[in-house]
Amino acid sequence: MPQAVSAARAAGALAVRDDFPILSRRFDGRALIYLDSAATSQKPAVVIEAVAEHLRSHNANVHRGVYALAQEADAAYEGARAKIAAFAGWDAQGTILTKNVTEAINLVAHAWGRAHLGEGEAVLITEMEHHANIVPWQVLCRERGARLRYLAIDERGELSLGQLDSELARGDVRMVAVAHVSNVLGTINPVAEIVARARAAGAVTLVDGAQAVPHMPVDAHALGADFYAWTGHKALGPTGVGVLHGRHELLERMEPFLTGGDMIASVDFQRATWNELPFKFEAGTPPVAEAVGLGAAVDYLAALGMERVRAHELELTGYMLERLREVEGLSIVGPPEASARGGLASFSLDGIHAHDVAELADRGGVCIRAGHHCAQPLMRRLGVPATARASVGVYNEPHEIDALVEALRAGRELFGL
């Protein structure tokens, strides 16, 4: 099979499986096959060791102490911020470290939205959004008397720029918030074009890059979004650290999302003043060790080269789409071409619920996701209660996709299909 040969070459070009300790685990005698990187990535040894070494040798609170150990912690935290910012094409001062991408979006909805969205105005999102990019806007619109409207997806799972233009022409849209890559459809949205059209119409933009930054080259500055958010645990880093890149002029005018601790400049009995960026939005003790781990993760990805990461995952995704289509009764949602999607495939199997599909895959030693993927409105739009989802990362190889396909075929036989 020519594509299998091509995929094997791409996988071999990275050859990084040995860098990930967890992949040496076995379950019931089978090697771990992990096809759930869209939910959370596995961690290379250099990330695990970076966190451990920080806690072992450099642990202290940051921005508070003048002793040598505290200065080491400061340098480690701010050094990690600089790496994280540069990796996504942003500056350190406009890079805020949050708990996750969900908190980053909530920060914008709260701190920007409550000051700039008024009654009768609108927030525009899409039918493919993760709940993290839906619910904060629902709450904001309800509180402000504003409207939440949606860009529809077509039969390919893609957006219409024509509909975007029509919505913007109404003159009431103040915020356009869109996923860079859909966590269900895999669709890679034309975010640079969306951002440009929104800005021309006077709207602010936020891009949810959780499924993009770990898998392809991303230059957030070049994309032009006012806010770009992503999360560490999907990018080979630890849980508990997320990222918000924001335009300085917007961040400067925004009130803090959370208060207390390091976001303070001064406090009197009746009032307080805020610290400079980015500390203004980092209340309390930040995720220091987690940030250090994410700094090590982006170093690791940068050393691989994000163009190579994308090429590797594109080959694997093309192979996955081809092999899944060989399974009778299986339907894939989203763009049919690998080039139009990120490294994932969500699918349904006739006669078998998605949760049973995942259970059958697990019997074959393969970890995949099943459920609504925190995208219930999209599931309703697709007319299904749930889908199964297989997603690839830098450590995956073609034989693992073959194992998934064999597990699905065995499952159909078990169900008598």
Side-chain angles (χ1 to χ4, degrees):
M1 184 180 297
Q3 186 153 357
V5 173
S6 177
R9 284 202 196 101
L14 288 182
V16 298
R17 288 183 62 84
D18 289 347
D19 294 345
F20 293 80
I22 200 169
L23 297 182
S24 66
R25 288 205 60 191
R26 303 186 72 83
F27 291 82
D28 295 327
R30 297 189 182 94
L32 173 64
I33 297 176
Y34 188 79
L35 293 174
D36 196 20
S37 292
T40 197
S41 61
Q42 296 302 341
K43 320 304 176 191
V46 291
V47 169
I48 297 167
E49 180 54 28
V51 175
E53 173 58 18
H54 177 80
L55 295 175
R56 183 166 50 232
S57 302
H58 309 289
N59 183 53
N61 214 326
V62 295
H63 308 144
R64 289 161 171 82
V66 297
Y67 48 88
L69 185 64
Q71 291 175 7
E72 289 179 1
D74 286 351
Y77 183 65
E78 293 305 327
R81 187 199 306 276
K83 293 177 184 180
I84 292 161
F87 183 72
W90 210 260
D91 64 282
Q93 190 178 11
T95 296
I96 299 156
L97 299 181
T98 63
K99 184 171 61 179
N100 44 46
V101 71
T102 301
E103 183 176 271
I105 296 171
N106 273 272
L107 188 161
V108 175
H110 181 98
W112 177 89
R114 283 163 177 78
H116 293 90
L117 188 68
E119 186 171 353
E121 295 179 330
V123 173
L124 183 63
I125 62 174
T126 83
E127 291 181 336
M128 68 175 73
E129 299 307 313
H130 189 283
H131 293 165
N133 205 26
I134 298 176
V135 179
W137 306 116
Q138 289 178 340
V139 172
L140 175 65
C141 288
R142 184 172 64 246
E143 291 180 358
R144 304 299 296 169
R147 292 185 293 271
L148 181 62
R149 297 204 298 268
Y150 289 79
L151 293 176
I153 59 167
D154 62 18
E155 67 280 357
R156 287 172 49 90
E158 296 177 330
L159 303 174
S160 164
L161 292 175
Q163 188 196 3
L164 172 65
D165 289 340
S166 296
E167 290 288 345
L168 293 172
R170 297 170 66 169
D172 61 352
V173 176
R174 297 293 170 262
M175 166 63 76
V176 177
V178 60
H180 195 157
V181 176
S182 168
N183 73 311
V184 176
L185 303 168
T187 308
I188 302 173
N189 285 315
V191 290
E193 185 64 27
I194 291 169
V195 164
R197 296 185 187 205
R199 177 161 294 164
V204 170
T205 51
L206 179 145
V207 176
D208 173 0
Q211 299 294 342
V213 171
H215 304 291
M216 60 187 66
V218 171
D219 185 336
H221 179 76
L223 291 174
D226 297 298
F227 300 101
Y228 193 102
W230 52 289
T231 198
H233 73 94
K234 297 182 192 296
L236 310 187
T239 56
V241 60
V243 185
L244 176 66
H245 306 297
R247 280 206 294 130
H248 287 215
E249 54 266 40
L250 295 180
L251 294 172
E252 292 284 9
R253 295 197 299 266
M254 288 159 51
E255 287 293 300
F257 174 42
L258 300 171
T259 57
D262 205 42
M263 54 75 61
I264 297 296
S266 65
V267 180
D268 206 337
F269 285 103
Q270 299 299 326
R271 64 183 300 273
T273 59
W274 314 136
N275 205 343
E276 62 186 8
L277 294 176
F279 314 115
K280 173 183 175 182
F281 294 101
E282 295 182 1
T285 298
V288 182
E290 292 83 355
V292 169
L294 182 53
V298 301
D299 278 349
Y300 180 88
L301 286 168
L304 290 179
M306 291 309 295
E307 292 83 4
R308 290 180 65 210
V309 169
R310 172 60 178 160
H312 168 84
E313 295 186 9
L314 182 60
E315 289 279 1
L316 284 176
T317 303
Y319 184 57
M320 178 164 61
L321 294 173
E322 180 179 301
R323 292 301 323 272
L324 287 174
R325 289 182 184 124
E326 296 173 6
V327 179
E328 188 176 352
L330 188 146
S331 301
I332 303 171
V333 299
E337 311 92 351
S339 59
R341 60 163 68 222
L344 62 91
S346 296
F347 56 92
S348 301
L349 201 53
D350 289 347
I352 308 177
H353 191 278
H355 291 134
D356 292 323
V357 172
E359 169 63 23
L360 293 167
D362 187 51
R363 292 185 185 185
V366 183
C367 306
I368 64 172
R369 195 75 159 185
H372 53 64
H373 313 295
C374 297
Q376 289 177 302
L378 177 58
M379 292 295 124
R380 294 187 178 95
R381 168 67 177 80
L382 296 172
V384 296
T387 64
R389 183 186 70 193
S391 53
V392 300
V394 297
Y395 33 70
N396 289 119
E397 297 180 355
H399 72 87
E400 297 175 300
I401 293 165
D402 296 336
L404 170 62
V405 170
E406 292 310 309
L408 296 177
R409 284 175 167 160
R412 281 181 49 80
E413 292 181 6
L414 183 65
F415 274 72
L417 298 173

